[in-house]
């Protein structure tokens, strides 16, 4: 691991030097490669890989490793990373208005905020 990666981990993850080194070590051991994710997350991680570098996701952060698996840097992933929206068991819906019209939970939430 490089000195730059330790400094960045301290700053961005709000850790001390010892915890930053441990986090980098755990990211190297337990980090998830792009192949473990769905298409949107996979494309994001693949976009960070170039010239033989490896991008691994661990604990809300993207760690960049070089060819010898020495950590170069790390940064937080976007808020949408890893979040899936399910609509009645489906990933996407075609007719949003129809979904909300037929969804009783949505109607109950509206009634809770209405002033009678």
């Amino acid at each position: 691991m490089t000195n730059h990666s330790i400094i960045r981990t301290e700053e961005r993850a709000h850790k001390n030097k010892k915890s930053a080194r441990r986090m980098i070590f755990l990211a190297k051991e337990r980090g998830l490669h792009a192949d473990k994710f769905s298409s949107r997350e996979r494309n994001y991680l693949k976009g960070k890989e170039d010239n033989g570098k490896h991008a691994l996701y661990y604990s809300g952060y993207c760690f960049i490793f070089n060819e010898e698996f020495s950590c170069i840097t790390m940064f937080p992933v976007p808020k949408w990373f890893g979040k899936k929206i399910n609509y009645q068991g489906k990933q996407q819906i075609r007719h949003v208005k129809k979904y909300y019209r037929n969804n009783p939970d949505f109607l109950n939430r509206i009634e809770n905020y209405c002033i009678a």
Side-chain angles (χ1 to χ4, degrees):
M1 66 186 80
T2 62
N3 192 26
H4 174 79
S5 66
I6 295 170
I7 291 170
R8 291 295 167 249
T9 307
E10 287 178 31
E11 286 178 0
R12 296 173 180 163
H14 307 291
K15 307 268 184 192
N16 60 20
K17 188 170 275 200
K18 184 178 177 183
S19 297
R21 287 178 185 227
R22 186 172 183 337
M23 187 174 189
I24 293 170
F25 175 75
L26 290 175
K28 184 178 177 180
E29 294 292 319
R30 300 179 184 171
L32 298 177
H33 197 266
D35 298 334
K36 304 283 183 186
F37 291 100
S38 63
S39 63
R40 188 174 180 194
E41 289 88 359
R42 185 181 327 117
N43 292 338
Y44 178 80
L45 287 177
K46 292 272 186 184
K48 302 300 178 190
E49 296 176 349
D50 62 342
N51 299 331
K53 295 178 184 163
H54 307 280
L56 298 177
Y57 172 80
Y58 178 73
S59 185
Y61 296 96
C62 178
F63 289 83
I64 307 295
F65 293 90
N66 64 7
E67 298 87 7
E68 294 84 25
F69 265 93
S70 178
C71 186
I72 299 170
T73 189
M74 64 85 74
F75 48 88
V77 295
K79 293 185 181 193
W80 55 262
F81 194 93
K83 304 239 191 294
K84 292 184 179 177
I85 300 172
N86 288 323
Y87 303 97
Q88 296 174 347
K90 298 178 182 176
Q91 294 292 328
Q92 295 179 343
I93 55 174
R94 290 186 183 176
H95 306 289
V96 178
K97 290 181 181 178
K98 188 184 290 185
Y99 170 77
Y100 284 129
R101 185 175 57 214
N102 296 330
N103 189 351
D105 182 45
F106 180 72
L107 295 176
N108 290 339
R109 282 186 275 149
I110 290 176
E111 290 174 3
N112 291 339
Y113 292 108
C114 290
I115 298 173

